[in-house]
Amino acid sequence: MTGILTEEQSLIQKTARDFARDRVAPGALTREAAGRIEDALIREMAELGFLGMTVPEDQGGIGADYVSYALALMEIAAGDGAVSTMMSVHNAPFCAILSRFASDAQQERWLTPAAAGAFIGAFALTEPHTGSDAAAITCSATRTDTGYVLNGSKQFITSAQIAGGVIAFAVTDHNAGKKGISAFYIEPGTPGFSVGAPEKKLGQKASDTCTLSFDNLEVPAFNRIGEEGQGLAIALSSLETGRIGIASQSVGMAQAALDAAVAYAQDRVAFGKPIAQHQAVAFRLADMDMQVEAARQLVLSAARLKDSGAPCLREASIAKLFASQMAERVVSDAIQTLGGYGYLADFPVEKIYRDVRVCQIYEGTSDVQRINISRALLAGRS
């Protein structure tokens, strides 16, 4: 149960659930083997509005609220975690940043088509030597008469191989510390821009993750997003939405594993009755259900705060931390319920187990979430 939803929220949830069941889940293993999300599926997601969910209608999106966004991501993630990751990064931070910080002319050129699903966007902040410490990036942007020249590299960039646009961050003033970073929009195909081979990952193999290289990459002044020195603030601006998104993914994948475990437990007979009727299994399923529901409500609570306009970084961090750790436990218990079959690639929980592990790493590690939560807690009691 998700609690009381509006008619629109219920419709979006049902649409996403039906789409995930009919179109996303059936191709998950084929998609993983190919290492790519098929173009046809992306087009269908665009037609349903899943690639511009919270972007206002006048900017090309469908103007959905964050509760609807969370619900949709849960359902898509239940179908395939890799597809939900592409959807999450495209919506926030990519579209979210353009919606908030891009100029009208930039929005018309980049955001409107992106929100309509004309192309997929990527977010390039992390570098080989720095992840959580975003202020430590060294990729440079040197001012020229017509714009900037970028040099450096980015690592672990989601959708880098299929992206039609990249928001990247580089140092424009090496003496200004955190205030010396600026944001830029890069169009793939520009001379000096190259994408490395997809990383070989534990899970979510259909969602490509690559290194980006900038070798004297010339970027027009028009492509700078916001003011010089505003880059770090821009990069961190969508943390709330991003963490709500990853928490939603975690809930969706955990729910899929729970559903598979329940179905198997009701069908598998041992000692003369379905194993679901054995207390040891029934109680395990009950604990799994409890954990998934607790995480779901944390996510929806954070989303409702976001919809109200109130700050919710603490709540988003709590939801992301709890949901991502919960998901690994629940999927592990699903494997245990299926026994030997749970360990086989022929059954869905093996893939979900691999896919869900990264939710404790990207969009802020579990340790980073604890830092955010503890800071909020201590500040409130000072």
Side-chain angles (χ1 to χ4, degrees), residues 142-274:
T142 304
R143 200 70 159 92
T144 67
D145 292 339
T146 58
Y148 300 83
V149 173
L150 272 61
N151 282 285
S153 63
K154 300 292 180 178
Q155 193 171 32
F156 304 132
I157 308 306
T158 297
S159 300
Q161 197 171 47
I162 64 172
V166 179
I167 296 176
F169 299 84
V171 179
T172 45
D173 185 347
H174 293 276
N175 298 316
K178 295 180 179 180
K179 296 183 178 180
I181 298 172
S182 302
F184 300 92
Y185 188 96
I186 298 172
E187 299 174 68
T190 305
F193 175 84
S194 60
V195 180
E199 302 285 359
K200 296 179 180 179
K201 302 180 296 184
L202 174 68
Q204 297 206 20
K205 297 179 181 181
S207 169
D208 66 276
T209 304
C210 308
T211 297
L212 300 181
S213 296
F214 311 141
D215 183 11
N216 290 324
L217 172 65
E218 295 185 10
V219 177
F222 176 83
N223 287 37
R224 191 190 70 222
I225 301 171
E227 301 299 324
E228 275 197 12
Q230 197 179 4
L232 188 61
I234 291 173
L236 302 181
S237 67
S238 60
L239 287 181
E240 295 174 344
T241 308
R243 287 168 184 174
I244 289 171
I246 304 307
S248 300
Q249 289 182 261
S250 301
V251 171
M253 284 185 268
Q255 184 66 59
L258 172 58
D259 291 345
V262 169
Y264 181 85
Q266 290 175 320
D267 183 63
R268 176 78 159 114
V269 174
F271 304 103
K273 58 184 177 181

Side-chain angles (χ1 to χ4, degrees), residues 65-67 240 300-312 315:
D65 59 18
Y66 288 95
V67 169
E240 295 174 344
L300 294 178
S301 177
R304 290 188 179 103
L305 272 177
K306 182 71 177 174
D307 282 328
S308 75
C312 62
E315 290 77 10

Side-chain angles (χ1 to χ4, degrees), residues 84-143:
S84 70
T85 291
M86 178 273 291
M87 173 180 165
S88 178
V89 172
H90 179 78
N91 276 279
F94 186 79
C95 285
I97 284 175
L98 293 178
S99 179
R100 181 173 175 184
F101 294 99
S103 66
D104 291 344
Q106 290 173 330
Q107 288 178 358
E108 182 178 358
R109 181 169 171 179
W110 305 320
L111 177 59
T112 299
F119 63 88
I120 296 301
F123 175 81
L125 177 63
T126 299
E127 297 183 358
H129 65 284
T130 179
S132 298
D133 186 7
I137 66 170
T138 59
C139 179
S140 66
T142 304
R143 200 70 159 92

